[in-house]
Amino acid sequence: MGLRILKILICMVCQIVPVSIYSTEVKHTLNSSGTTFKNIQSTIQSIKDVEPVVIIGAGPAGLSASISTVRAGFKTLVIVGKEMGGQVNQIKDIENWPGEIKLSGAELGRNLYNHAHHVGAQFLHESVSSVDLGTWPFIIKTDQGKIIRPLSVLIATGGEPKKLAVPGVQEYWGIKGVGYCAICEAPFTKGQDVIVIGGSDMAVQRVMQLSVYAKSVTLLVREQKLQALQALIDQMNKCSNVKVLFNTQLNEIRGDDKRVTAVVVQNTIDNAKLTIPAQSVFFAIGYIPRSQLVRPWVDVDSQEYICLKGRSQCTSVPGVFAAGNVTSSEYGKAAVAAGEGEKAALDIINFLEHIGYNPSVEAVIKDNLFTPPAVSHIQIPVIEDIDSFKKLINTNNAVLVEVFNPLCSVCQEIGPALNAFAESNKDNLTIVKINISRITPDFQKYLNIPGVPLIIIYEKGAPIIHKTIESSAQLTDVINQYLANKAKVKE
């Protein structure tokens, strides 16, 4: 009975709405599924926190899609997660974006966000903790307790950087010297011997980012040659402090418990081993698709990339779409992800139209639509002068400091949470920010920065909390614990 109603509904809509070439797979998916999309208005008018379009991920794919769905008249929510702009933020220079001779990854991310924001896309600066695609409207829960009921979902979550399972990786991951975000950590490698592992465009980009700061950079390439663009290789070859070791694999990372001190590598031809002094190690060996949230529901391939139907961005679940690096590792370019985002938007538009969702339905259920929390627009002061900073912490009872790098993904993630906290606590606590890329080495030494984002809370000039932060949730916990302790002292 459900399929019969669905087919009748699609036929009625198709008589009114022109069907484009992009809707072929959408229609096939709807007609071949067991999902029942009954009368759209009666189904959703009693459900709270409905959202016509939810996009999980704010990289080129997700942001590009949001621009088109909003312009088509569909209310769209982008759940940002950890990175506004996505993995593109880690690219120093992009020279293959159509219409731009050269721009940084961070610039591209900002441009896409500004465009999406301008046309009316809404943003939720939280991360998704779970999804239920077995019911419709679907259910999405965030790490901060929000529950959203989307009519359609785009998975644009990108990938998680790969790391090798060799001794020392886990022990020294993070502030002890092992990571992947070279553009975030490069300022901390001044005077260091640095290792980069990989042979792709990404690896060569990492090398060039680090070579500006590090004493030396050694690139370990398992194969006999680089797989990067020749233009990038030529740029790298101009760096006097860079060395490339071919046919070389990483066997072990060694350290003194506090920091990386060396790596052990092995030649893949003669098996000869070599110990190389190093204080930092960066992986650039590709990504694992961030598909874990939806694997119980949608079809994935043997490498856990989300499977798509034909030439569309449709997944195996009607109403669920995917775009960008979560669907394939074959291309891995921002322009390709943006193109897939546009295709996904067209598929979403056709899906919503075919199930009968339109502005008149939205007008009826407007009171049930999800409303994201207001974003704080408070401007937290940024301090760059050490003398001004010392005066500040010595003349205020309590000062919270965030040391950040504007290219750091976690720094971007915690920004809205810190702004909201600053707005609600402006009478109790002085809050400032320090851009690590804009301060002197003496200032960096004074702050004792192991990594970013770093939260320091001073009371009467003395640091009582000095902690690197990995998420918005951790930032909230640190601040709430501090306030709770202060309240106990007052009692």
Side-chain angles (χ1 to χ4, degrees):
M1 184 67 179
L3 279 175
R4 183 166 176 265
I5 293 173
L6 177 58
K7 290 178 180 179
I8 294 171
L9 179 60
I10 291 174
C11 290
M12 291 174 63
V13 174
C14 289
Q15 290 175 3
I16 302 171
V17 181
V19 180
S20 73
I21 59 171
Y22 299 100
S23 65
T24 303
E25 285 295 338
V26 175
K27 289 193 296 178
H28 172 75
T29 301
L30 288 170
N31 280 299
S32 62
S33 84
T35 304
T36 301
F37 298 95
K38 296 179 181 179
N39 181 280
I40 185 78
Q41 186 172 311
S42 63
T43 299
I44 64 177
Q45 65 183 359
S46 62
I47 299 175
K48 296 293 185 182
D49 295 318
V50 169
E51 189 71 17
V53 182
V54 170
I55 297 172
I56 305 176
L63 293 174
S64 296
S66 72
I67 293 167
S68 292
T69 54
V70 171
R71 292 186 70 247
F74 295 103
K75 185 172 178 291
T76 298
L77 177 71
V78 180
I79 303 179
V80 175
K82 292 184 177 182
E83 291 181 277
M84 177 63 76
Q87 297 155 7
V88 75
N89 286 318
Q90 297 173 29
I91 303 174
K92 183 176 181 290
D93 294 316
I94 295 176
E95 299 181 8
N96 60 354
W97 185 263
E100 295 283 354
I101 304 301
K102 179 192 285 190
L103 77 168
S104 70
E107 287 176 312
L108 176 58
R110 282 195 299 271
N111 291 347
L112 289 168
Y113 165 75
N114 290 337
H115 192 170
H117 184 267
H118 172 75
V119 299
Q122 295 182 312
F123 294 88
L124 183 61
H125 292 272
E126 300 179 17
S127 295
V128 174
S129 59
S130 68
V131 301
D132 183 350
L133 305 180
T135 186
W136 190 86
F138 307 117
I139 301 173
I140 292 178
K141 296 181 180 179
T142 74
D143 59 349
Q144 296 185 36
K146 307 287 191 309
I147 298 178
I148 307 153
R149 301 296 303 271
L151 305 183
S152 63
V153 177
L154 172 60
I155 309 301
T157 45
E160 192 73 29
K162 290 181 182 178
K163 51 189 178 184
L164 296 176
V166 301
V169 170
Q170 289 301 116
E171 293 88 333
Y172 292 98
W173 188 264
I175 62 173
K176 292 185 178 182
V178 181
Y180 64 88
C181 186
I183 203 166
C184 308
E185 302 297 327
F188 299 111
T189 64
K190 289 180 179 177
Q192 292 186 1
D193 296 307
V194 177
I195 302 292
V196 176
I197 298 122
S200 64
D201 289 354
M202 181 197 313
V204 174
Q205 286 266 9
R206 298 276 199 278
V207 168
M208 291 190 289
Q209 291 160 4
L210 292 160
S211 67
V212 177
Y213 298 91
K215 181 174 71 174
S216 72
V217 183
T218 301
L219 177 61
L220 307 182
V221 184
R222 186 179 174 87
E223 292 78 23
Q224 295 182 7
K225 64 177 183 178
L226 290 165
Q227 302 300 316
L229 291 172
Q230 190 58 47
L232 289 176
I233 296 172
D234 292 342
Q235 290 180 42
M236 182 185 70
N237 288 339
K238 295 177 183 178
C239 301
S240 60
N241 59 341
V242 171
K243 180 180 181 180
V244 182
L245 298 181
F246 294 102
N247 302 309
T248 303
Q249 67 181 24
L250 178 70
N251 276 13
E252 181 184 357
I253 297 174
R254 294 178 178 175
D256 58 7
D257 292 332
K258 295 180 180 179
R259 185 82 194 181
V260 171
T261 58
V263 297
V264 179
V265 301
Q266 183 174 0
N267 186 285
T268 58
I269 296 176
D270 61 15
N271 294 323
K273 291 185 178 181
L274 176 67
T275 300
I276 305 173
Q279 294 78 52
S280 292
V281 179
F282 293 90
F283 288 103
I285 55 175
Y287 293 89
I288 301 169
R290 289 192 182 115
S291 59
Q292 62 270 26
L293 279 171
V294 296
R295 284 175 207 157
W297 313 103
V298 305
D299 291 345
V300 298
D301 66 16
S302 60
Q303 294 180 295
E304 298 181 334
Y305 289 97
I306 295 176
C307 296
L308 301 176
K309 288 185 173 291
R311 298 175 64 183
S312 77
Q313 303 303 129
C314 302
T315 71
S316 57
V317 176
V320 180
F321 307 85
N325 288 349
V326 75
T327 67
S328 172
S329 63
E330 189 172 350
Y331 299 105
K333 300 293 183 183
V336 174
E340 289 190 359
E342 176 67 16
K343 284 177 59 184
L346 295 170
D347 285 341
I348 290 168
I349 291 164
N350 277 292
F351 170 80
L352 292 173
E353 289 176 343
H354 285 307
I355 64 172
Y357 189 86
N358 53 51
S360 62
V361 173
E362 186 165 309
V364 173
I365 66 162
K366 63 180 181 180
D367 293 335
N368 290 0
L369 295 174
F370 176 78
T371 303
V375 177
S376 171
H377 295 289
I378 191 170
Q379 294 293 318
I380 299 176
V382 179
I383 292 182
E384 298 180 2
D385 175 64
I386 188 171
D387 293 330
S388 300
F389 178 73
K390 288 180 178 179
K391 181 178 180 181
L392 176 77
I393 62 175
N394 284 296
T395 55
N396 288 271
N397 288 332
V399 179
L400 185 150
V401 182
E402 182 209 2
V403 183
F404 74 101
N405 182 332
L407 301 176
C408 161
S409 60
V410 181
C411 300
Q412 294 178 40
E413 179 200 356
I414 71 171
L418 187 62
N419 287 350
F421 176 78
E423 193 160 42
S424 61
N425 290 272
K426 54 189 174 184
D427 297 328
N428 304 319
L429 194 62
T430 300
I431 300 179
V432 297
K433 302 176 78 170
I434 296 174
N435 183 344
I436 189 172
S437 64
R438 301 292 296 273
I439 62 176
T440 64
D442 286 343
F443 200 171
Q444 291 186 27
K445 185 176 181 180
Y446 179 81
L447 294 169
N448 186 24
I449 307 171
V452 291
L454 172 67
I455 295 297
I456 313 174
I457 298 181
Y458 293 87
E459 287 189 350
K460 297 179 180 179
I464 62 169
I465 292 177
H466 187 279
K467 189 174 185 63
T468 54
I469 300 296
E470 296 181 359
S471 66
S472 295
Q474 187 184 10
L475 172 69
T476 301
D477 289 344
V478 168
I479 293 175
N480 286 343
Q481 185 62 52
Y482 167 74
L483 294 176
N485 291 340
K486 282 201 71 174
K488 287 181 181 179
V489 171
K490 287 183 179 180
E491 292 175 0

